[in-house]
Amino acid sequence: MSNQDRHGSSPGPSQFTSLYIANLDPQVSDEALIQIFSGFGKIIRSVRAKDFRGESRGFAFIEFESSVSAEQAVEHMDGRLIGQKILCVERTPKVNEGEYI
């Protein structure tokens, strides 16, 4: 499977709008996460993974309105220290509510 197939049918890497944020410090709130990433553009959806107790599982998905915003967020936030952890931010296929990758 090609990289393009895994990440949707868009013609190039600049067309993605969804991001996977890994290694997320559990002390970073949902509001703080949105505030940090909204500096790059309008966020359509933000989903932070939580366990059955409602505690952070250490990763989240953010979908931007534009691919330019998503690309800038990856460039500026990947490898950045937020809280006590260094984020891993990468593009991901768009996931609909209730679907799994």
Side-chain angles (χ1 to χ4, degrees), residues 3-22:
N3 194 27
Q4 182 176 332
D5 291 338
R6 279 194 300 272
H7 298 293
S9 59
S10 358
S14 63
Q15 298 302 309
F16 67 95
T17 57
S18 297
L19 302 180
Y20 169 68
I21 295 99

Side-chain angles (χ1 to χ4, degrees), residues 26-70:
Q27 300 304 314
V28 175
S29 69
D30 294 343
E31 294 78 17
L33 183 66
I34 291 171
Q35 183 179 5
I36 291 165
F37 280 88
S38 66
F40 300 102
K42 182 176 179 182
I43 294 174
I44 295 174
R45 185 171 58 149
S46 171
V47 178
R48 187 161 154 199
K50 297 179 182 177
D51 65 16
F52 68 95
R53 294 172 295 198
E55 296 178 15
S56 175
R57 291 184 57 203
F59 66 94
F61 296 93
I62 291 180
E63 184 178 349
F64 283 95
E65 184 174 62
S66 81
S67 59
V68 172
S69 298

Side-chain angles (χ1 to χ4, degrees), residues 23 25 27-28 81-86:
N23 205 32
D25 188 320
Q27 300 304 314
V28 175
L81 180 68
I82 302 294
Q84 299 296 314
K85 295 192 172 198
I86 296 174

Side-chain angles (χ1 to χ4, degrees), residues 64-80:
F64 283 95
E65 184 174 62
S66 81
S67 59
V68 172
S69 298
E71 191 171 349
Q72 289 176 349
V74 170
E75 289 175 14
H76 290 91
M77 297 305 294
D78 186 42
R80 189 160 197 191

